[in-house]
Amino acid sequence: MRIAIIGYGKMGHEVEKAALARKHEIVVTIDNPQEWEERFEQLKQADIAIDFSQPDQAADNIHRCFDLHLPVVVGTTAWHDRFEEIEARCLAEGQSLFTAPNFSIGMNIMFVLNKQLARFAEKYGYQLSMAETHHVHKLDKPSGTAVKLANDILAANRDYDRWSIDAPADRTLYINVTREGEVNGIHSVAAESPADKITITHEAYNRQGFAIGAVAAAEFLFGKKGVFGMEDLMGAF
């Protein structure tokens, strides 16, 4: 495929490495408003775009891709307040969108285990809590991955009505958020009873896993119309 990379920071560079390793071509990289203007003709040559830009830019970037009928894989998080708007346009116009809070295959395995743990916790009286740690440069708090873990727990366990990063409270799932150093991402879910404690944790050692997942998502999306996510890529959990 001929790939456009939107957002050419650390993740964008990792996506480039992963795409080239899988024999794809990078036809353009775009990292600022000026480059949208300067590299527009190159962008039109792309088969698909992969976006790892900033949260306040992602939705507008998707619209720009849709203007060209360019399929887009979105790895940026914390833009989903505009998801319904984007989804509606995608479906109405027969566009192509792949979005996920986390492209790591390992993390998506944890999503499955988390749902199972949440159901067992309700049945057997375990109290649930979460923790997530990322590098100091991460803008969203909690991470999009933590939000998905928390929302999946709320859907599977009737003991909790909401989640919060502020403090533990009645019927509230507490998420302990830490920003330190250059941590690539650690997410944990704990289930505790008077008798024992169960913890499931995913730790990303580097950005490589996210980049490989994003390129695999682009390969999956190519030639398809509609809105897709990692559940589709991995075979519908």
Side-chain angles (χ1 to χ4, degrees), residues 8-63:
Y8 198 47
K10 292 178 180 179
M11 270 307 308
H13 282 80
E14 286 293 336
V15 168
E16 181 177 46
K17 293 177 188 176
L20 294 175
R22 294 168 78 95
K23 309 303 181 184
H24 301 300
E25 178 186 357
I26 307 302
V27 294
V28 66
T29 62
I30 296 176
D31 201 42
N32 57 58
Q34 183 178 349
E35 291 177 352
W36 277 103
E37 300 293 332
E38 295 174 346
R39 303 178 183 181
F40 184 73
E41 292 301 318
Q42 293 166 269
L43 182 63
K44 290 196 295 185
Q45 303 305 311
D47 295 316
I48 202 161
I50 300 178
D51 181 292
F52 275 96
S53 60
Q54 299 298 320
D56 61 347
Q57 301 168 5
D60 291 338
N61 290 345
I62 297 167
H63 279 304

Side-chain angles (χ1 to χ4, degrees), residues 149-165:
L149 287 167
N151 287 338
D152 285 349
I153 289 172
L154 298 187
N157 187 311
R158 293 168 294 182
D159 293 337
Y160 300 93
D161 298 325
R162 58 188 294 270
W163 56 261
S164 174
I165 64 173

